[in-house]
Amino acid sequence: MTVISFTSSSSLGLSELRGKHLHYSKFWNSGSKTSAAKKIKLSSRTGMLIAYNPAFLAGVASFVLYPQENIRILLLCSALTIHFFKRIFEVLFVHNYSGGMNFDVVLAISLSYFLSTATVTYAQYLAQGFPEPSVDLKYLGCLLFLIGISGNFYHHYLLSKIRSKGDKDYKIPKGGLFGLVICPHYLFEIVGFVGISLISQTLYAFSFTIGSALYLIGRSCATRRWYLSKFDHFPKNVKALIPFVL
């Protein structure tokens, strides 16, 4: 699962860089119109709820399935459950959607999140009883997780405010770190994943975080190219993900 998780996520990141996108958000209707017409379409809100709920339920179930014999597994299960609860909350009450999603993409995202959540908690369960790492990073991980989830929520809130209800036109986002990078919500998502991997300190958690980061790097670069193509006045100094760097 460590190899599968890293390989699949990083290959998706490369696909994003090459212009082959997962069909959600602003890329939901990219690609062949003929093949897209034959697929089952859902509203973005419905699709994202289907995508996130199984992972959230896996997080909740981990408290019942695995004895919480030490603080590390308790912190990990809590972080994952909070992470996906926040996502569901944002889908219901924060995000302002304008597009749709194909059911096959929803299924792939949902399965990926569910398997990742189930595997990282199971790996932690298996690690119980082994000697603790010589350098304990779980509390640093908690701090990074809280920074990541807070920054991600704040920038999602800013994104939700750039369009009025019923407005489906994209605009250049402003506020927060949007003046430096076009995807600060992805940056903070990566910070949150780094926090989760430091709480866990298992090989699978680190591979999942690295793979997810590579995917989000590819997605943010593709997003920046999209904004450059759509808006003639898009500021060239605004990077994709990391201020002044990438």
Side-chain angles (χ1 to χ4, degrees), residues 72 124 133 135-138 197-203 206:
R72 189 182 296 277
Q124 200 66 45
V135 179
D136 188 352
L137 299 174
K138 63 177 177 287
S197 67
L198 294 184
I199 293 171
S200 175
Q201 288 187 258
T202 61
L203 179 60
F206 284 117

Side-chain angles (χ1 to χ4, degrees), residues 131-176:
E132 282 287 302
S134 57
V135 179
D136 188 352
L137 299 174
K138 63 177 177 287
Y139 295 115
L140 174 60
C142 288
L143 176 61
L144 290 178
F145 172 73
L146 291 174
I147 292 172
I149 200 170
S150 301
N152 179 265
F153 178 82
Y154 173 64
H155 288 91
H156 278 166
Y157 173 78
L158 292 179
L159 282 173
S160 72
K161 294 301 178 184
I162 63 176
R163 289 183 300 193
S164 58
K165 191 172 183 179
D167 183 6
K168 296 189 176 184
D169 292 331
Y170 279 94
K171 298 177 176 65
I172 299 175
K174 297 178 181 178

